[in-house]
Amino acid sequence: MVSLTLLSTALMGLLVVATFLAVARIGAQRTAPGAGEQDRYAAVTEALKEVAGTPIVWAVGFLAITVGVGAVTLLAVGSFGIPEALAGTLLSLVYAAVGLLLVGFVFLGAYFSARGRGLGNAHGVAAGSFATGLVFLVVIVVQLLVGIIG
């Protein structure tokens, strides 16, 4: 048992030394590895950034989400010959999708609000997480007081 502990300690010590040497070697270079190259990840992110900045993409996305939620809602509450268990599941999916959209809007709204005021990414994530936590807290309080779910 003792020899296993000593072996584990020696291996962890070697791992720490190897990590220190690797960091020191990378830190000795003036530029980050691959800084001068345009890799595939950067190209894909730039293309997605251009696409996401187009207003027509936002309009089509909004219409697709609206029509999709409306169609599934009609399918769930309408009498189209769907089994009752499937209709309940579809309605639950609609509730979950709308809730996810609302929480996403709250998070992204707080995030971009913080970023628009000159704060960093971490501050934006903190603001978005705080706002999302407040939404969950309000939902829990309303559920306990009134019983809106179920």
Side-chain angles (χ1 to χ4, degrees), residues 40-55:
R40 184 182 305 175
Y41 175 76
V44 168
T45 18
E46 284 299 319
L48 287 176
K49 191 183 294 185
E50 288 175 13
V51 168
T54 309

Side-chain angles (χ1 to χ4, degrees), residues 3-65:
S3 62
L4 186 61
T5 305
L6 288 175
L7 178 65
S8 172
T9 304
L11 287 175
M12 290 305 287
L14 286 175
L15 181 66
V16 168
V17 169
T19 304
F20 178 76
L21 290 174
V23 168
R25 183 175 176 203
I26 290 173
Q29 300 174 352
R30 292 199 177 263
T31 60
E37 304 171 359
Q38 179 73 9
D39 58 349
R40 184 182 305 175
Y41 175 76
V44 168
T45 18
E46 284 299 319
L48 287 176
K49 191 183 294 185
E50 288 175 13
V51 168
T54 309
I56 191 71
V57 171
W58 287 96
V60 168
F62 174 76
L63 288 175
I65 290 171

